[in-house]
Amino acid sequence: MDVFKAAAVRNRTHGDVLSLAAGQPSTSAPAPVLQATRDALDTHLLGYTETLGILPLRQAIARYHSEESGVDVTADDVVVTTGSSGAFTLLFLAAFDVGDTVVMARPGYPAYRNTLAALGCRVIELDCGTDSRYQPTAAMLDALPEPPKGLIIASPANPTGTIIDADELAAIARWCEVNGTLLVSDEIYHGISYNGAQNSGARTSSAWETSKRSVVIGSVSKYFSMTGWRLGWMLLPQHLHRAVERLASNMTVCPPAISQVAAIAAFTEESRAELDGHVRRYAVNRQILLDGLTAAGVTDLAPADGAFYAYADIGHLTQDSRAWCEQVLAATGVALAPGVDFDTVHGHHTVRFSFAGSTADIDEALVRLGPILSPAVRENR
């Protein structure tokens, strides 16, 4: 968020910012969602809804998961929340107590760590590098001194974009069941994956394919291109439903009514066709960015299997990624996300590039970054 603030200041003074820092699509909600919103403004009261979400939306989400994962999911399994962030907060409060140990990968999404710490949990970060493709494994869990109360995984992951292999995910889910660990599977980037350099659509597995004792987190923010609508959901084991419902009714009353009504249209065939077009653009942008970084000598990159990120080691350029990103923004107008937020140990020499913007922006950003990354970029383009 400090990067976003600095980029906003730069844009006011120079008007030239290209953001490769934003973890969000650069496109609006699908056309059917926008039309449903207009219709809802004229025909719906848009007052409070059921705390766990309106039934038509929960039914649409259940069908989506059943079709994507081949798992029987019903509306009763779905809890709609105020963004996936709201889902995590409710779940952590319902499932964990002060002092409980929860494990996550490093590098990883910082809000897991920060929210758990604020709630008094003990966070253990597994140092995940190239050997495990930046993802935790069942073998790493076996090496822990004792089973934790919870494990958070993300596939595709932020910031690395890596996907956990289906067999490995199944092994992790079984390990958690056997050891009484609550598996929390962040699947908000499902739908954005790449099968090779140019093709999109590689399938990602869901934790519920192996264990319905796990919790799956979803959101309309990423694939569905609806970040500001603040709507997420959980596939939740029944024993946690009542606790989550009571917490949610006190903390938020209900998710945003207009977003719930509109989001039903996000799961239609027309919307999915539009959204898959975005994924094809991400695939093009991904290849342009990876090729450009490699040509510039930035070759230590996490496998960008999914999401819309390239996570790079820039240790040959700096040992202070935050200061380096500030300098890059000041010199070029290109905003990047320093790795220190995602990795408290090694993040001082890593950076995250987002390729969710337009292809023209990716091209222009590489031109501007050329003199900083390497003269080779300027010479080769």
Side-chain angles (χ1 to χ4, degrees):
M1 299 311 297
D2 289 341
V3 172
F4 292 152
K5 286 165 54 177
V9 171
R10 167 80 186 199
N11 217 33
R12 287 197 294 270
T13 58
H14 292 71
D16 65 346
V17 170
L18 293 175
S19 181
L20 273 63
Q24 65 175 347
S26 58
T27 47
S28 71
V33 171
L34 299 179
Q35 186 58 54
T37 305
R38 298 183 189 101
D39 295 342
L41 291 173
D42 293 331
T43 60
H44 285 67
L45 174 63
L46 299 176
Y48 295 138
T49 73
E50 300 170 59
T51 295
L52 299 186
I54 60 175
L55 180 58
L57 177 58
R58 289 187 286 119
Q59 289 172 329
I61 292 169
R63 284 194 299 271
Y64 165 73
H65 279 282
S66 295
E67 292 167 1
E68 292 296 306
S69 302
V71 176
D72 183 25
V73 180
T74 71
D76 289 339
D77 297 318
V78 179
V79 172
V80 182
T81 59
T82 306
S84 61
S85 299
F88 283 114
T89 301
L90 290 170
L91 177 64
F92 294 166
L93 282 168
F96 305 135
D97 290 319
V98 171
D100 281 347
T101 297
V102 182
V103 172
M104 60 175 283
R106 185 180 65 238
Y109 181 51
Y112 307 147
R113 178 182 68 242
N114 296 339
T115 303
L116 287 164
L119 297 176
C121 293
R122 175 173 173 255
V123 180
I124 293 178
E125 294 180 303
L126 299 175
D127 195 358
C128 300
T130 55
D131 289 349
S132 66
R133 302 180 77 257
Y134 298 91
Q135 290 282 8
T137 64
M140 291 181 189
L141 301 177
D142 277 331
L144 293 172
E146 60 182 9
K149 188 68 176 290
L151 167 68
I152 305 172
I153 60 173
S155 177
N158 177 13
T160 62
T162 56
I163 292 174
I164 301 176
D165 176 77
D167 290 341
E168 187 64 54
L169 177 56
I172 290 171
R174 287 192 295 268
W175 188 96
C176 288
E177 273 207 359
V178 168
N179 289 278
T181 297
L182 180 65
L183 174 60
V184 182
S185 181
D186 184 346
E187 300 179 7
I188 69 170
Y189 288 96
H190 275 214
I192 308 175
S193 56
Y194 315 99
N195 181 19
Q198 297 293 339
N199 303 314
S200 64
R203 183 178 178 278
T204 46
S205 298
S206 172
W208 262 38
E209 293 175 35
T210 300
S211 173
K212 285 192 174 183
R213 294 190 63 80
S214 62
V215 178
V216 167
I217 306 292
S219 170
V220 298
S221 288
K222 308 303 180 178
Y223 169 73
F224 293 96
S225 194
M226 296 172 63
T227 51
W229 299 69
R230 307 315 302 134
L231 201 71
W233 65 83
M234 291 184 275
L235 303 186
L236 195 66
Q238 287 299 317
H239 73 276
L240 289 170
H241 270 248
R242 185 57 178 156
V244 166
E245 183 176 21
R246 295 173 72 180
L247 286 164
S249 65
N250 282 277
M251 297 177 69
T252 59
V253 180
C254 66
I258 184 65
S259 299
Q260 291 190 67
V261 174
I264 297 169
F267 298 92
T268 63
E269 186 175 338
E270 184 181 354
S271 289
R272 297 294 299 277
E274 183 178 337
L275 297 167
D276 287 343
H278 300 333
V279 177
R280 288 190 290 272
R281 173 171 52 82
Y282 300 151
V284 172
N285 291 356
R286 168 186 177 272
Q287 197 60 52
I288 291 172
L289 181 61
L290 294 179
D291 288 346
L293 292 175
T294 300
V298 181
T299 58
D300 193 350
L301 297 158
D305 302 324
F308 31 62
Y309 305 120
Y311 192 64
D313 190 322
I314 54 167
H316 61 295
L317 298 173
T318 185
Q319 291 297 309
D320 187 343
S321 61
R322 179 168 181 161
W324 186 82
C325 287
E326 291 173 351
Q327 294 162 8
V328 168
L329 179 62
T332 69
V334 177
L336 305 172
V340 288
D341 213 19
F342 306 107
D343 188 331
T344 56
V345 176
H346 308 294
H348 59 281
H349 58 78
T350 60
V351 67
R352 189 192 74 179
F353 299 79
S354 170
F355 50 83
S358 70
T359 301
D361 283 352
I362 302 300
D363 280 325
E364 175 61 22
L366 285 169
V367 170
R368 294 190 198 178
L369 292 172
I372 290 177
L373 298 177
S374 167
V377 172
R378 186 172 62 249
E379 293 167 3
N380 290 342
R381 294 184 67 81

